[in-house]
């Protein structure tokens, strides 16, 4: 039972790696640049870490090659937000990079999974932004995550006859480094007042939802989009 987690070196991906190792998965994580964090996780958890840019198809193929031929789980998690700001102020190259990682990358990973898996489950990591739209900050990012939702619905149907389930988690605002990268390190605490549950989420709370969707307990769930947003 091997599970591949893209963007597994920190944040939601790393929390998911910890949870899945506890659940008995053999875990392979990918990372783009954070080699030190990835090596530390290899040591801590006994996972295999592979450097791979998910927006690059050769890298994605190499990641799956490294994972071997008994892949039963894929967590399509790697994603970026930055830069943030009103759409009118964003540069074309930044928009293209967010689309490249969040849409093209997610499709390349899902395609590789569809080619290689013979059973099991894929969980895509979208965002609550997909239906909220994130005006003033992340309209471009929200659009890419809506694409991830659409891919989940379509691929869920496409792979159901082959016994592969495809589901999606939409996290709300979660305390991870993604907010540092987009220049808003205090965003999780700032948005807390707008969250019905009154606080940002923790990466482990998303990892738990991902673990459930991967597990046999979710055996009749496919094409599902699970919001884990504290009620937002
Ligand atoms: P993070 O920045 O802490 O971690 C992102 C991970 O993705 C890192 O391991 C990074 O190396 C990797 N990554 C980024 N670009 C990559 C690429 N091109 N190829 C390979 N790996 C790449 O972020 P996080 O908060 O843990 O985010 C994980 C996922 O959750 C993302 O898809 C993000 O959009 C989504 N999400 C996060 C939040 C939040 O508030 N943190 C909310 C909604 C959705």
């Amino acid at each position: 039972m091997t599970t591949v987690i893209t963007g597994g070196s920190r944040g939601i991906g790393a929390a998911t790696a910890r949870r899945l190792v506890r659940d008995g998965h053999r875990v392979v994580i990918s990372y783009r640049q954070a080699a030190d964090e990835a090596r530390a996780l290899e040591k801590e958890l006994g996972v295999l870490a592979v450097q791979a840019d998910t927006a690059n198809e050769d890298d994605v193929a190499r990641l799956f090659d490294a994972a071997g031929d008994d892949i039963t789980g894929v967590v399509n998690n790697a994603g970026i937000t930055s830069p943030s700001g009103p759409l009118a102020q964003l540069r074309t190259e930044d928009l293209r990079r967010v689309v490249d990682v969040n849409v093209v990358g997610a499709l390349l990973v899902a395609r590789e999974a569809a080619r290689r898996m013979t059973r099991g489950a894929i969980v895509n990591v979208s965002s609550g932004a997909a239906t909220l739209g994130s005006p003033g900050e992340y309209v471009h990012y929200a659009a890419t995550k809506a694409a991830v939702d659409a891919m989940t619905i379509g691929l869920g149907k496409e792979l159901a006859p082959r016994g592969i389930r495809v589901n999606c988690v939409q996290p709300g605002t979660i305390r991870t480094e993604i907010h540092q990268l987009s220049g808003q390190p205090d965003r999780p605490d700032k948005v807390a007042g707008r969250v019905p549950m009154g606080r940002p989420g923790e990466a482990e709370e998303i990892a738990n939802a991902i673990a459930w969707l991967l597990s046999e307990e979710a055996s009749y769930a496919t094409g599902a989009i699970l919001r884990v947003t504290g009620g937002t």
Side-chain angles (χ1 to χ4, degrees):
M1 173 156 106
T2 297
T3 297
V4 176
I5 305 172
T6 65
S9 61
R10 61 165 190 260
I12 291 168
T16 304
R18 287 196 175 89
R19 166 66 204 255
L20 295 183
V21 165
R22 279 210 311 277
D23 287 354
H25 295 236
R26 173 178 173 260
V27 170
V28 178
I29 63 167
S30 79
Y31 65 96
R32 192 167 48 106
Q33 283 175 326
D36 291 350
E37 290 170 351
R39 293 283 97 79
L41 266 191
E42 275 190 322
K43 259 192 168 169
E44 176 196 334
L45 298 176
V47 301
L48 173 66
V50 179
Q51 197 282 330
D53 182 343
T54 51
N56 177 305
E57 71 175 308
D58 295 335
D59 280 16
V60 172
R62 198 166 39 73
L63 167 65
F64 277 76
D65 284 344
D69 50 16
D70 187 28
I71 300 168
T72 53
V74 171
V75 183
N76 203 351
N77 166 71
I80 55 173
T81 51
S82 57
S84 65
L87 185 61
Q89 292 174 10
L90 300 181
R91 300 180 313 171
T92 306
E93 63 251 50
D94 294 328
L95 299 181
R96 285 196 195 284
R97 182 62 188 161
V98 173
V99 171
D100 215 28
V101 175
N102 293 4
V103 181
V104 179
L107 283 166
L108 291 176
V109 170
R111 184 181 69 176
E112 208 61 39
R115 286 177 173 170
R116 301 194 190 215
M117 289 169 75
T118 56
R119 64 197 164 101
I122 299 168
V123 177
N124 298 316
V125 180
S126 168
S127 170
T131 49
L132 296 168
S134 298
E137 290 182 309
Y138 301 116
V139 166
H140 57 314
Y141 169 80
T144 65
K145 292 302 190 177
V148 171
D149 290 357
M151 175 179 81
T152 302
I153 294 165
L155 201 59
K157 291 174 180 170
E158 203 167 290
L159 298 185
R162 290 174 41 197
I164 300 168
R165 297 180 299 103
V166 187
N167 294 292
C168 175
V169 173
Q170 289 184 335
T173 301
I174 310 301
R175 217 186 284 281
T176 71
E177 278 181 43
I178 207 166
H179 306 290
Q180 267 94 321
L181 296 178
S182 60
Q184 302 191 68
D186 52 353
R187 188 170 185 273
D189 294 310
K190 270 193 175 158
V191 304
R194 301 205 302 264
V195 179
M197 285 181 70
R199 64 171 178 87
E202 301 298 334
E204 293 71 23
E205 295 178 292
I206 304 304
N208 292 341
I210 292 170
W212 178 72
L213 285 169
L214 284 176
S215 79
E216 271 306 299
E217 288 189 6
S219 55
Y220 198 51
T222 200
I225 296 170
L226 177 59
R227 281 180 90 74
V228 186
T229 60
T232 305

